[in-house]
Amino acid sequence: MKNFERCIEIILAEEGGLVENPKDPGGLTKYGISARAYPHINIRGLTRDDAKAIYKRDYWTPIKGDDLPDGLDLLLLDCAVNQGTGTAIKLLQEAVKEKTDGVLGVLTMDAAKRNPSRAIAEFCALRAWRYEINRNEETFGKGWFRRLFRVFTLAWALKQSGVST
């Protein structure tokens, strides 16, 4: 649970507050929670605690964040938030050379734990490629890459320190 708290604070700092960018397909967002993904939620009235609860339930739990190595937990959460949980899981599977079926099972988790440094590097390379081929890369690409490098830097430091909070 403490790793979630550490990771979610980084994600919330990346996502920021209320944003209404007419070029963003997600529409109105607050703390990264979009009206498109959550049409039943009053986005303008969303609290920080509401957003954290959504991230825990809909992103952290599906990526099994509590079971991931330090650093990789942050990278997968950031990817899940920005590119979807299915994409995050499949990119991890591809990074650790396991079957890319979108089901985060024991084989993928064991492979990630065996060599987290390689998993982090491969995962980030694959994620960058996904950004590059995204139809919105022209508009948002530089921001996505900056975010990826910021989060990678933090994830690598967490991995290197081996500190679980």
Side-chain angles (χ1 to χ4, degrees):
M1 181 64 173
K2 288 187 179 185
N3 280 359
F4 172 75
E5 290 301 323
R6 178 198 69 216
C7 291
I8 198 60
E9 290 305 319
I10 294 166
I11 299 306
L12 290 172
E14 285 295 330
E15 290 294 343
L18 190 66
V19 177
E20 193 164 10
N21 183 334
K23 293 183 178 182
D24 187 341
L28 181 68
T29 65
K30 188 171 183 184
Y31 306 120
I33 305 297
S34 73
R36 178 178 174 204
Y38 294 92
H40 60 286
I41 291 177
N42 172 5
I43 298 297
R44 289 187 191 282
L46 188 72
T47 68
R48 188 175 172 86
D49 286 340
D50 294 337
K52 286 170 106 173
I54 291 167
Y55 282 130
K56 175 85 165 134
R57 181 191 68 223
D58 296 349
Y59 299 89
W60 183 259
T61 299
I63 63 159
K64 300 182 182 181
D66 289 330
D67 299 326
L68 290 166
D70 288 338
L72 202 51
D73 55 357
L74 172 60
L75 285 168
L76 255 75
L77 180 60
D78 189 56
C79 182
V81 166
N82 192 243
Q83 295 171 290
T85 56
T87 296
I89 292 167
K90 288 178 183 176
L91 290 178
L92 177 61
Q93 290 172 324
E94 189 176 347
V96 299
K97 307 221 181 318
E98 287 296 331
K99 182 178 176 184
T100 53
D101 60 5
V103 178
L104 188 51
V106 175
L107 294 176
T108 301
M109 294 300 274
D110 286 349
K113 290 174 184 175
R114 268 193 308 276
N115 195 342
S117 295
R118 182 171 175 78
I120 286 171
E122 288 293 319
F123 182 83
C124 286
L126 293 167
R127 187 171 174 199
W129 178 246
R130 289 282 301 216
Y131 282 143
E132 183 61 29
I133 62 172
N134 185 295
R135 62 183 161 79
N136 292 313
E137 192 270 339
E138 179 86 18
T139 302
F140 299 109
K142 287 180 184 174
W144 290 335
F145 283 111
R146 286 183 191 107
R147 175 181 180 149
L148 176 58
F149 288 119
R150 283 191 304 267
V151 174
F152 166 79
T153 300
L154 293 170
W156 192 257
L158 290 169
K159 187 257 168 229
Q160 293 299 96
S161 71
V163 174
S164 268
T165 55

